[in-house]
Structure formats: C-alpha cells, structure tokens
Amino acid sequence: MSAFTLLNNNQIVIGPRDWNPKYFEYFLKQEFNIDNTLPEDTNFGTLVFNDSVRIVPTQFTMDPTIDSLFEVLAGPQFSFDEYGNHFASYVAEELPIETVKHNLKMVISNNRYIKETTPITRDINGKIITIYTNRESRVTYVQALLMADEFYSSNWKFAEGFVTINKLDLQSIIGELNSYVQLCFDWESNKFSEIDSKETVSDLRLINIVE
C-alpha cells in the first residue's frame, strides 16, 4: 500500500493518506504559508518545498501475523531507510494480562459449550444409540421422566432408529447426560483456575484451551 505524508523536519504533519493534492495544498498554506499547486498524478518521488518541509511517498510494510488472544497490532511506526525512503509499519504488541485472561476464558467457555452439546453414544437395551446433549433434549428427557410411572414404556426415535425405553432407561440416560455435562463444566472450571494462577502472558500461552 502506498500513501503520502507531509513532513516538517521529519516529523509528521499529516498522513500517511491517499493522494489528494487539494488536501495537501490546504495544509501547506495553513501550516507553512506555502502556496504551491501540487500535481494531480502521483508520478513523483519526494516533493521538497524548503529545507524542512516536504511530501514523501510512504510505503506500508506487511503486517506481522498475530494471535489475537494475546496480541494486538500497534502503530504505525515510521522510519527511513538508508536511501531516504519513508516506511510505515505495524508491530505485534502484547495485550495486558487481564485482557488475555478474559480472552482465554471466553474461548474456553465456548469450547465447553461445543463439547457440552456434542452428542454421545450409549448402550441402551443392547443397542448403541446417539443421545443428543443439547439443553432442549435434556429437558425433554427430564419431562418424560417426571411423567413416567413404573409401567412406563415408549418408543423413542434416535438417529439409529426406534428404541423402546422404560422409566429405568430414562433414569439411566439422564444420569449419563448429567455426568457428561458435569465433566464439561468441571473442565471449564479447572481451566479458569489455571488461568487465574498465571502471572505472565508467556505462561498463559502454554495453557491448552482445547479439551
């Protein structure tokens, strides 16, 4: 990306920005009482107006790759090379540790939810069936159990087909679901404690946030 910068003693007055001659003419007049007509095209190198004031093309270097959990792009920072070319660059800057902890906890909570709502398979009456673990499905099982008496028997449709289940089967399914979901939340809780125990961003980078 190429842009242009108005400098005074190598200090930025305006820019870097796209080329707009009227815009730069205005600032030259307002700031330095320089009344020049600037070219419409950009086929020029450096426009020198006196010993201190000039307009230079500014080249933006490629942004570094960052991990947004831990870093943010900072800048731009400006520099000249040995040939007098003007460059703008961004650098990776480490986020404050409390921000990093917040970011990690958000990711962990999301990963726990994905795991929590991922179906599980269990053996019910000699048949391996898929049990959906999303919250709506869990409520459905609990509601059925609350209404079931000791003679309850009903055909339930699972991904593998229909399976006849009774009250004890419902209790078993709900028990499996509760244990599975609790494991997911225990994992999240342990990860939160691990995060809170760290005192540097470097240590936080070592935490495995995927179950």
Side-chain angles (χ1 to χ4, degrees), residues 59-70:
Q59 296 292 325
F60 280 81
T61 60
M62 186 176 294
D63 294 341
T65 300
I66 66 168
D67 186 333
S68 60
L69 291 176
F70 305 96

Side-chain angles (χ1 to χ4, degrees), residues 14 16 18 41 60 63 80 99 104 112 147-149 177 208:
I14 56 170
D18 56 317
D41 60 45
F60 280 81
D63 294 341
F80 291 92
T99 302
L104 291 177
R112 183 267 308 151
M147 298 179 64
D149 58 24
L177 285 172
N208 179 17

Side-chain angles (χ1 to χ4, degrees), residues 54-100:
R54 55 186 172 143
I55 294 175
V56 297
T58 301
Q59 296 292 325
F60 280 81
T61 60
M62 186 176 294
D63 294 341
T65 300
I66 66 168
D67 186 333
S68 60
L69 291 176
F70 305 96
E71 301 163 322
V72 65
L73 282 178
Q77 298 178 355
F78 300 97
S79 62
F80 291 92
D81 65 12
E82 64 271 27
Y83 305 106
N85 298 311
H86 193 236
F87 292 91
S89 60
Y90 289 85
V91 296
E93 184 175 278
E94 193 171 83
L95 289 168
I97 188 169
E98 291 305 320
T99 302
V100 174

